[in-house]
Amino acid sequence: MHEKERHNVILSAVQERPVITVADICALTGASEATVRRDINTLHLEKRLRRVRGGAEAITPPQFVGLAGRTFAVNETMRSAEKQAIARAAVELCDDGDAIIINGGTTTFQMVHPLAMRRMQVFTNSFPIAEHLLKHSKNTIMLSGGAIYREQNIILSPFDNDVTRNFAAKRMFMGAQGLGPLGLMEADPLLIQAEQKLIGQADELVVLVDSSKFEQRSSLVLCPLERIDVVITDDGISDRAAAMLEAADITLIVATPNAATQTGSG
């Protein structure tokens, strides 16, 4: 790829996300890290982007409205072994023929691999979950309607009269930004509005969170602890967090990466 072509790719990429890393650009262009850093420096001096630590950002922010919180691409790289173990334990709760809801997120996305062997009715607001299951499984897939938010790879609608109200599920599987004494927390009001509609369509709420989520907080509460039936997490959960779940009478499933899962209940 010639220098001008690389520059066009880089300038296009920084318009799609708040910050693009050197590693991202290397993957997009096939160029070496040293070459990419020179390209960023050149474009920075030309005032066509802004150089930041480890990458670059757009001088003018992207024009579409995104959601608060980390992007799907960034989250996907974090604590992947724990997320895979948690997702396997979640799918073990399911039987063929079940109607389930899977909310968008990087932990819930890991459910697609064990779900490849199942035949279920799956409703999701996650574009990547729907796409993967359509290609690699025999599950029946339903998508919610609305706008696709590129950064989080989810479909959200601000309207009450969408298809969500027509799907009744045995269980809903969802992740969250944080989980604490006040309940399940998220970062964006639109996300909370859409997720509350989905929760209302499920008999049982199963929350998939790695153990770091018990230390994270947000100013927005999605639902109280009392609404949660099951929490699946990894073996890094603290005694304090486990006691909080037990006191709320929530079933706790601890999934150990590359090992069997352990179940306990309050």
Side-chain angles (χ1 to χ4, degrees), residues 28-151:
L28 288 169
T29 62
S32 69
E33 189 173 314
T35 299
V36 166
R37 290 187 185 279
R38 282 198 301 271
D39 287 339
I40 289 174
N41 195 51
T42 299
L43 293 168
H44 174 81
L45 292 173
E46 293 175 357
K47 294 185 168 31
R48 298 173 74 189
L49 55 67
R50 189 178 293 109
R51 185 179 63 234
V52 297
R53 183 180 179 86
E57 66 180 6
I59 299 246
T60 306
Q63 294 304 302
F64 64 86
V65 178
L67 299 171
R70 283 195 299 261
T71 67
F72 186 92
V74 170
N75 274 330
E76 197 172 18
T77 64
M78 303 172 72
R79 302 176 70 87
S80 57
E82 288 88 347
K83 289 176 179 178
Q84 288 167 14
I86 291 166
R88 283 195 302 271
V91 175
E92 286 173 10
L93 297 176
C94 302
D95 296 312
D96 282 353
D98 282 356
I100 64 170
I101 298 171
I102 306 179
N103 197 53
T106 54
T107 306
T108 50
F109 177 77
Q110 292 300 325
M111 291 176 68
V112 299
H113 306 300
L115 277 174
M117 306 303 292
R118 301 300 184 94
R119 288 175 178 262
M120 301 171 64
Q121 298 174 64
V122 180
F123 184 97
T124 185
N125 63 358
S126 166
F127 195 73
I129 288 175
E131 183 180 39
H132 190 98
L133 291 177
L134 279 170
K135 288 180 179 177
H136 304 290
S137 83
K138 293 186 178 178
N139 295 284
T140 301
I141 313 302
M142 287 185 65
L143 269 171
S144 61
I148 298 175
Y149 286 75
R150 290 176 177 85
E151 296 292 302

Side-chain angles (χ1 to χ4, degrees), residues 13 19 25 30 32 38 45 62 83 90 94 105 119 138-139 164 175 184 198 206 211 234 238 242 253:
V19 175
I25 299 170
S32 69
R38 282 198 301 271
L45 292 173
K83 289 176 179 178
C94 302
R119 288 175 178 262
K138 293 186 178 178
N139 295 284
T164 303
L184 210 55
L198 288 170
V206 182
S211 55
D234 59 78
S238 67
I253 298 176

Side-chain angles (χ1 to χ4, degrees), residues 10 56 69 76 99 125 144 153-154 162 164-165 181 191 209 228 231:
I10 294 167
E76 197 172 18
N125 63 358
S144 61
N153 271 330
I154 58 175
D162 60 29
T164 303
R165 300 296 189 198
L191 203 58
V209 285
I228 302 169
V231 168

